[in-house]
Amino acid sequence: MVDKVDFMCSIDSDIVKIKVLSVFGTRPEGIKMAPILKRLDSDPRFISKVCVTSQHKEMLVQVLNIFNIIPDYDLNIMKPNQDLYDITSLVLLGMRDLYRTIKPDVILVHGDTTTTMAASISAFYMNIPIGHVEAGLRTGTLTAPFPEEANRVIVDRLARFHFCPTETSIKNLLKENIPEKYISLTGNTVIDALLMVKEMVRNKEPDEWQEQYQQALTAIKDPQQKIVLITAHRRENFGKNFLNICEGISLLANRFPDVSFIYPAHLNPNVRKPVTTILANHPNIFIIDPLDYAPFVYLMNRSYMIITDSGGIQEEAPSLGKPVLVMREATERPEALLGKNAILVGVEPQTIFETSSRILLDPELYKKMSKKNNPYGDGKASERIIQTLYNFFISKSDR
Ligand code: UD1
Ligand code: UDP
């Protein structure tokens, strides 16, 4: 696993070089860490190394490819239908061995996954400072989302650097008595990533991603076709809630036969089974495989509205001016609700159906919800994160 030991410069040497190890494992972490990694790579003040846990496999590789990230270390932990104990124990022990060998000055983790939580505990045990990217998000309920809310609370308790996307996330941390001097307002790196990829796809045609769009390509290419983009994957929704979500979408597809509903389905069998069973036989529902980030950004931009339980998509949709319905009971991202770009609809089929129908039928409501809004960032979050780290380590080395 630990295949290289070339991480030797440090702030103790004549030339200040800060050794940063970034650790992540899933698709959204990869997308949101990519802009930081790109900057670290081109900044001579840092030595940057990347460890992926591979909590996700194919879905992580999709992100690494698009951003051209070559990990230095790979814990390679993913198993089909893995549970939280599998991920936690493998990351905790895997990272122990890696930290012992390469001794970073600081680690960077992102958000709220089990990779993030276990890599942070492992670093804490070795007294390695932790930088938490996307710190301070809270619903206030430990089980919503599960286990992510607990993961973020644990990581924020352990972290030395809290890179907060919004004022709300700063307030959440201050309420938990996290010292103010450990907190910085950076914006969310998802906007950095989105802007990078929006530029990449600006002059592209959907045919470019023919293999990925599969049977949905014709609808995507037809400018007259209204598209509703759907994603859902949350653990707390497995089982009954997922059946409800599928029923709500099924009602919608029957009511709006002229609209195309495109669902790039997560590879988790707990998602794919109900989705492919319940939604398969509708002529206007297209279930396709998870998309690379570039064709996904193109499709978000091409869509009329988005229905999702995703965290990242709640942040991206307002920036693209797309109304977003959030199929959850609570959200840690209240800014889009306040900006009227998002509505929290829960997971009851009738509520999903009625609220989506209103947006599809009422042009005034649609207009309000599709106003472009950037509550989550300005595309400079990674720059601020790196500067904060540099300022800290340089002042330490001057002492
Ligand atoms: C994880 C995160 C969740 C995040 C989501 C992003 C935890 C507990 N959950 O949930 O916070 O929102 O990623 O998508 O950290 N699988 C594959 N190939 C892949 C990825 C997943 O086959 O590339 C299948 C495997 O069977 C795997 C299962 O999906 O066991 C579940 O993956 P896991 O990372 O445990 O959960 P997610 O629901 O993806
Ligand atoms: N995404 C993607 N391809 C897809 C679906 C989503 O690239 O087929 C991107 C999406 O734009 C967002 C991120 O993946 O940046 C969100 O990931 P996910 O919903 O799996 O996780 P969450 O954000 O809920 O943790």
Side-chain angles (χ1 to χ4, degrees):
M1 176 267 303
V2 181
D3 54 351
K4 291 190 207 166
V5 189
D6 56 352
F7 205 34
M8 307 302 284
C9 288
S10 92
I11 53 170
D12 300 328
S13 64
D14 288 347
I15 306 160
V16 174
K17 290 254 188 198
I18 302 154
K19 298 184 297 186
V20 183
L21 176 67
S22 301
V23 188
F24 56 95
T26 67
R27 168 173 71 190
E29 291 166 79
I31 291 169
K32 291 167 164 185
M33 288 300 287
I36 303 179
L37 301 180
K38 294 281 132 198
R39 278 193 175 271
L40 283 174
D41 269 348
S42 60
D43 191 326
R45 300 171 298 177
F46 294 89
I47 301 172
S48 167
K49 296 286 169 184
V50 174
C51 172
V52 292
T53 63
S54 291
Q55 176 178 333
H56 283 178
K57 212 164 249 173
E58 303 87 336
M59 287 164 57
L60 181 66
V61 169
Q62 286 185 299
V63 177
L64 300 177
N65 286 346
I66 199 136
F67 289 104
N68 207 4
I69 297 166
I70 301 166
D72 300 281
Y73 312 98
D74 187 347
L75 301 190
N76 197 17
I77 67 161
M78 197 195 89
K79 299 184 209 162
N81 237 336
Q82 62 205 1
D83 68 22
L84 299 175
Y85 299 91
D86 297 324
I87 309 170
T88 304
S89 54
L90 291 170
V91 173
L92 192 68
L93 292 173
M95 291 316 300
R96 173 192 66 185
D97 298 344
L98 187 58
Y99 294 148
R100 265 189 193 146
T101 315
I102 67 177
K103 299 184 178 61
D105 293 320
V106 58
I107 65 151
L108 289 180
V109 290
H110 179 277
D112 53 22
T113 69
T114 298
T115 282
T116 305
M117 180 273 293
S120 298
I121 294 182
S122 203
F124 176 71
Y125 287 165
M126 231 171 273
N127 208 11
I128 298 168
I130 300 159
H132 189 198
V133 182
E134 199 181 84
L137 273 62
R138 297 288 185 272
T139 61
T141 305
L142 268 189
T143 49
F146 176 84
E148 289 81 3
E149 177 81 355
N151 286 343
R152 340 171 153 116
V153 171
I154 294 168
V155 178
D156 279 331
R157 197 68 201 86
L158 305 179
R160 168 60 185 80
F161 305 95
H162 299 81
F163 302 116
C164 288
T166 65
E167 294 284 357
T168 312
S169 44
I170 292 188
K171 281 188 197 136
N172 291 338
L173 293 181
L174 293 175
K175 263 194 255 159
E176 291 174 16
N177 297 322
I178 304 288
E180 200 171 349
K181 64 178 181 196
Y182 290 1
I183 301 174
S184 33
L185 179 63
T186 58
N188 198 312
T189 55
V190 77
I191 305 298
D192 305 23
L194 183 66
L195 295 180
M196 275 162 80
V197 173
K198 238 176 101 175
E199 190 51 37
M200 275 185 217
V201 305
R202 203 152 56 96
N203 295 318
K204 301 272 186 198
E205 294 295 328
D207 280 323
E208 182 115 6
W209 301 295
Q210 182 175 4
E211 276 177 27
Q212 298 206 35
Y213 288 147
Q214 302 165 9
Q215 66 278 22
L217 180 68
T218 313
I220 296 170
K221 278 172 72 171
D222 177 359
Q224 304 305 320
Q225 189 65 35
K226 235 177 219 179
I227 288 174
V228 174
L229 175 61
I230 300 165
T231 80
H233 72 278
R234 300 242 79 84
R235 242 182 172 84
E236 70 271 19
N237 286 341
F238 292 168
K240 173 100 176 53
N241 285 352
F242 238 94
L243 300 180
N244 284 343
I245 287 174
C246 290
E247 196 188 323
I249 293 163
S250 185
L251 290 171
L252 262 180
N254 291 337
R255 167 69 182 79
F256 296 96
D258 296 335
V259 175
S260 290
F261 295 83
I262 305 182
Y263 187 159
H266 192 293
L267 295 179
N268 193 330
N270 293 297
V271 174
R272 286 190 90 85
K273 193 154 178 262
V275 166
T276 47
T277 314
I278 303 173
L279 301 179
N281 293 324
H282 291 71
N284 55 335
I285 299 183
F286 302 94
I287 298 159
I288 57 177
D289 290 330
L291 293 168
D292 288 355
Y293 193 46
F296 192 75
V297 168
Y298 184 93
L299 184 56
M300 279 196 287
N301 216 14
R302 166 72 184 83
S303 300
Y304 191 70
M305 65 184 265
I306 303 176
I307 308 179
T308 189
D309 67 4
S310 162
I313 297 171
Q314 288 180 63
E315 294 155 344
E316 293 162 335
S319 176
L320 297 171
K322 303 294 169 184
V324 60
L325 261 73
V326 183
M327 296 186 290
R328 291 164 57 168
E329 300 302 340
T331 180
E332 60 294 278
R333 293 163 168 96
E335 296 84 356
L337 301 179
L338 293 169
K340 311 277 183 233
N341 300 95
I343 300 180
L344 203 56
V345 283
V347 289
E348 285 308 315
Q350 204 57 31
T351 320
I352 295 171
F353 170 68
E354 282 168 13
T355 316
S356 309
S357 301
R358 270 202 296 133
I359 301 172
L360 285 166
L361 293 170
D362 179 350
E364 276 309 303
L365 176 59
Y366 185 80
K367 202 168 149 202
K368 264 189 221 149
M369 292 189 74
S370 53
K371 222 159 142 195
K372 277 193 186 167
N373 185 13
N374 268 320
Y376 298 107
D378 58 1
K380 295 194 171 130
S382 44
E383 194 179 316
R384 294 189 187 99
I385 288 168
I386 286 174
Q387 196 54 44
T388 306
L389 282 179
Y390 184 73
N391 292 347
F392 172 81
F393 282 103
I394 203 75
S395 67
K396 216 172 128 199
S397 69
D398 281 350
R399 261 189 261 134

